[in-house]
Amino acid sequence: MIKRSIHIILFVVAVIAVYFISERYFFRIDLTSEKRYSLSDNTKKLLRSMDKELAVTVYLDGDLNAGFLRLRKATKEMLDEFDAYAGAKVRYTFDNPSAGATNEERDKKYESLEKRGMRGILVHDRDQEGQAMQKVVYPWIEISYNGKTRPVNLLKNVPDKSGEENLNTSIETLEYEITDAIRLMTTTDIPKVAFLEGHGEWNQPLVYDMSQELSRYYQVDRGAITDDPAILDNYKAIIVAGPTEKFSEKDKYALDQYIMKGGKVLWLLDGARISLDSLSTASQTVGIENNVNLGDQLFNYGVRINADLVQDVQCLLIPVNTARMGDQPKYEPMPWYYSPLALTVPVHPISKNLAPVKTEFVSSIDFVNNEMDVKKTPLLVTSTGTHVQNVPSIVSMDVVGVEKNGYYFNRHNLMVGSVLEGVFPSAFKNRMIPEGIKTTEKSISESKPTKMVVIADGDVIRNDVQGKGENMNILPLGYDRYMNQQFGNKEFLLNAVNYLTDDDGWMALRSREIKLRLLNKPAIIGQRTFWQVTNVLLPLLLVGIFGLIFNFIRKRRYTGELRSKN
């Protein structure tokens, strides 16, 4: 009895000690292999810095299938983690948009969500009897902080991935998507980015959609380089979007010294120039090298944009009149090999889990100067059926719909986009400062650690424009009206700029991976009754066996004690 009392006292003391330690020192232990419940240090710091309550409304609720239930559960668990590190300042509620008392009330709620930018999706499912059914699901949350409100889309929809894979991707990116919205609402220091002008770059309407997207994060300016290179120093990143005119040595020097100081550049450059007006009127044109006098500078940084045109079997479709001369026009979709759908490389935060990127007259990229201390990573590549056409050469509409054999499309996975990170040598090392530069600063021969993204296509950032003047209509970037499909251009470029300006490592959250452990659906359907009975009876059976063993041991122990006393 004395031994048992000591054990009880020690247990009570241990429980009290653990309680006081946990009150004084906050800690959480994640035992999962992927550390799915572990928040990054940046996220913890962000949550602890909040001085006001964060209110979250989760609209992913109601009668959901297994996949969306996983996403709902993961969202709740993520918000619980946020609340733990925010000092109980996160308040969340679940709201089922389909839970209206009447159809009118439900439709009114749907309309309200749509007006606030939260679009529902139609989910096709089957009930237990196998009957087809449709449900409207809103995979969104709405975050409110300090008088600001921002919707967050929880669902990632990457083409060519299954529903389960997309839901798993959505769970992987939960922390990034939610913290991204919180950072936008809590930040007071708005960084600046700039579109470069003065070399035939795209004008404002042609990059309007991307400018609007960037304006959620940055102050977006436009302008030409002046005589003073320091004019670029206040910008976190510079965007060079589709130039067609040569850069002067003065402008090249200003960009070079900006990079040497740690500046970041998004290069969107065509390797070949095409006259689209000639192509539309004469059905053919000539592709020539797009020499904007940047080749030597990029070569010095470790990359080369080739003077060629890439054709690919994975491409856009365009309407082509297949009717005979004199007959009523009959348009059918045909592959336009000069508009490859570039594949996003899944190993980098910029391009991970994105839809293909729409390109037009894109060129190939090579890495050079590999002895430099620069990390080079492909971001966009072609498919396994690619042909390279060197320029100058004829570009003709006759290529539309022509069946090409494997001997023609004999290249595969050519790089058309890349990111370079590290310490770059100056392109003006051991050279005189160009005439026209007004500066008292000495030339820097080696950069601070910095980054740049190089895409061999200026059209990747260009949105389509319909009409003129007051009737002008800006189409979404990456949207193809003939295929009625949205491609990944906008998200890819936004990720690129965010990665370039990310000094704290937030984009690393996009690299998170959670292993997808799918259930065997045929086994679930065919063995449904067996597993239901097993799940109900097996725990009861185990409890019964444990009780019998416990009573047997207890009876034997006390019987032995009585015998020893007698």
Side-chain angles (χ1 to χ4, degrees):
M1 290 295 292
I2 295 176
K3 252 186 207 183
R4 183 177 297 176
S5 300
I6 292 173
H7 289 161
I8 293 173
I9 293 172
L10 289 175
F11 176 75
V12 172
V13 170
V15 170
I16 294 173
V18 169
Y19 172 76
F20 280 106
I21 291 172
S22 62
E23 283 288 310
R24 188 176 181 85
Y25 302 102
F26 174 77
F27 64 92
R28 296 168 79 83
I29 300 174
D30 187 353
L31 300 179
T32 60
S33 59
E34 305 101 339
K35 299 300 177 185
R36 66 171 63 194
Y37 304 114
S38 298
L39 301 182
S40 70
D41 292 336
N42 282 338
T43 300
K44 296 174 186 177
K45 184 179 178 181
L46 174 67
L47 294 171
R48 288 166 179 157
S49 68
M50 293 192 312
D51 55 358
K52 294 180 175 61
E53 183 176 283
L54 185 79
V56 183
T57 303
V58 184
Y59 294 104
L60 186 62
D61 199 21
D63 185 15
L64 306 173
N65 61 27
F68 282 107
L69 282 175
R70 281 182 58 234
L71 182 57
R72 181 190 185 279
K73 179 183 176 184
T75 303
K76 181 181 183 303
E77 291 170 344
M78 183 65 67
L79 293 175
D80 285 336
E81 289 292 307
F82 278 28
D83 187 48
Y85 286 100
K89 292 178 183 175
V90 177
R91 296 286 180 266
Y92 64 87
T93 57
F94 284 85
D95 184 2
N96 180 10
S98 302
T102 63
N103 289 339
E104 291 77 11
E105 185 179 335
R106 182 193 61 193
D107 292 341
K108 189 175 180 180
K109 198 165 189 178
Y110 286 170
E111 185 180 353
S112 174
L113 293 174
E114 297 279 345
K115 285 182 178 179
R116 302 205 302 272
M118 291 176 280
R119 289 190 171 186
I121 62 171
L122 194 61
V123 178
H124 299 272
D125 206 351
R126 292 186 179 275
D127 58 21
Q128 294 183 0
E129 286 74 30
Q131 296 289 333
M133 56 189 300
Q134 294 181 346
K135 303 175 186 175
V136 178
V137 176
Y138 283 84
W140 292 82
I141 64 173
E142 199 169 36
I143 301 177
S144 299
Y145 181 82
N146 195 23
K148 301 176 183 177
T149 301
R150 186 172 292 274
V152 178
N153 188 1
L154 303 177
L155 182 64
K156 293 294 180 183
N157 189 12
V158 182
D160 300 329
K161 282 193 173 185
S162 68
E164 289 288 347
E165 289 173 326
N166 276 319
L167 286 166
N168 198 65
T169 297
S170 303
I171 294 172
E172 289 176 341
T173 57
L174 270 179
E175 183 179 352
Y176 174 77
E177 296 295 337
I178 299 175
T179 55
D180 184 57
I182 296 174
R183 284 188 292 125
L184 288 175
M185 291 188 291
T186 57
T187 185
T188 55
D189 182 22
I190 301 177
K192 298 194 293 184
V193 299
F195 282 87
L196 206 61
E197 292 183 336
H199 315 92
E201 292 90 350
W202 298 123
N203 58 31
Q204 174 65 18
L206 293 176
V207 294
Y208 178 83
D209 196 30
M210 193 65 228
S211 298
Q212 289 296 105
E213 189 70 15
L214 289 171
S215 65
R216 296 171 53 225
Y217 297 82
Y218 309 96
Q219 176 184 320
V220 182
D221 295 337
R222 297 180 64 89
I225 299 174
T226 65
D227 296 337
D228 183 9
I231 194 174
L232 302 177
D233 292 351
N234 293 327
Y235 292 97
K236 294 281 286 183
I238 300 296
I239 303 172
V240 184
T244 56
E245 300 172 8
K246 288 188 176 183
F247 279 68
S248 66
E249 293 300 309
K250 177 175 65 74
D251 288 355
K252 289 169 62 177
Y253 178 81
L255 279 171
D256 178 80
Q257 292 301 294
Y258 169 73
I259 294 170
M260 294 304 107
K261 296 174 184 177
K264 286 86 173 179
V265 180
L266 172 58
W267 305 92
L268 305 168
L269 309 174
D270 291 301
R273 186 184 304 176
I274 306 296
S275 174
L276 293 178
D277 292 335
S278 299
L279 190 61
S280 60
T281 57
S283 296
Q284 70 175 28
T285 186
V286 178
I288 61 175
E289 181 182 359
N290 185 40
N291 183 12
V292 292
N293 197 29
L294 288 174
D296 60 336
Q297 190 163 351
L298 292 175
F299 190 95
N300 188 79
Y301 300 149
V303 67
R304 176 178 60 216
I305 297 178
N306 297 311
D308 58 28
L309 292 168
V310 172
Q311 298 178 42
D312 200 293
V313 294
Q314 180 171 295
C315 59
L316 291 180
L317 301 177
I318 61 174
V320 176
N321 184 11
T322 59
R324 294 179 300 179
M325 186 72 69
D327 292 348
Q328 186 176 356
K330 180 182 179 182
Y331 291 93
E332 293 185 6
M334 293 289 183
W336 177 235
Y337 300 124
Y338 286 108
S339 287
L341 298 177
L343 303 174
T344 52
V345 177
V347 297
H348 198 276
I350 293 177
S351 51
K352 183 183 171 80
N353 294 326
L354 293 183
V357 172
K358 183 179 76 167
T359 67
E360 188 171 22
F361 300 115
V362 65
S363 301
S364 62
I365 291 177
D366 290 331
F367 289 142
V368 293
N369 285 351
N370 293 325
E371 66 277 2
M372 294 191 310
D373 185 22
V374 174
K375 180 182 177 183
K376 306 171 185 179
T377 309
L379 295 178
L380 297 175
V381 297
T382 62
S383 75
T384 55
T386 304
H387 175 77
V388 175
Q389 177 182 342
N390 294 318
V391 296
S393 59
I394 299 294
V395 175
S396 174
M397 287 293 294
D398 292 339
V399 74
V400 173
V402 175
E403 293 293 335
K404 303 292 185 179
N405 56 39
Y407 295 102
Y408 186 81
F409 290 107
N410 56 0
R411 305 287 295 275
H412 64 278
N413 300 133
L414 294 181
M415 179 171 55
V416 297
S418 62
V419 58
L420 289 75
E421 308 169 73
V423 176
F424 298 90
S426 170
F428 287 83
K429 185 178 181 180
N430 301 324
R431 291 175 57 185
M432 296 289 291
I433 296 178
E435 292 184 8
I437 293 292
K438 296 179 181 179
T439 180
T440 57
E441 298 178 354
K442 284 187 175 181
S443 296
I444 305 171
S445 59
E446 189 175 82
S447 77
K448 296 178 180 179
T450 187
K451 319 166 193 173
M452 63 178 69
V453 171
V454 182
I455 311 297
D457 180 27
D459 294 288
V460 77
I461 197 172
R462 179 179 61 84
N463 53 249
D464 288 334
V465 178
Q466 294 178 329
K468 294 181 180 180
E470 296 181 356
N471 297 322
M472 182 182 294
N473 180 31
I474 305 293
L475 296 182
L477 175 61
Y479 174 73
D480 185 79
R481 58 181 182 271
Y482 298 119
M483 297 177 66
N484 191 27
Q485 188 171 344
Q486 181 70 45
F487 294 100
N489 298 50
K490 188 188 300 187
E491 190 171 0
F492 172 80
L493 292 172
L494 179 63
N495 287 346
V497 176
N498 284 346
Y499 184 80
L500 291 175
T501 61
D502 181 20
D503 297 326
D504 300 318
W506 285 104
M507 287 294 292
L509 294 177
R510 295 197 79 256
S511 298
R512 188 172 203 164
E513 291 188 9
I514 297 177
K515 188 175 180 181
L516 184 61
R517 299 176 175 90
L518 297 177
L519 295 174
N520 188 333
K521 289 188 177 181
I524 294 174
I525 297 172
Q527 304 174 19
R528 180 185 182 91
T529 304
F530 170 77
W531 289 112
Q532 285 179 333
V533 172
T534 301
N535 287 332
V536 172
L537 296 182
L538 185 59
L540 297 175
L541 182 61
L542 291 176
V543 170
I545 293 173
F546 173 78
L548 291 173
I549 295 174
F550 178 78
N551 286 329
F552 175 76
I553 295 174
R554 184 170 179 273
K555 184 176 180 180
R556 184 174 181 181
R557 177 181 176 184
Y558 283 105
T559 302
E561 287 181 1
L562 289 172
R563 286 177 180 174
S564 61
K565 286 180 181 180
N566 294 332

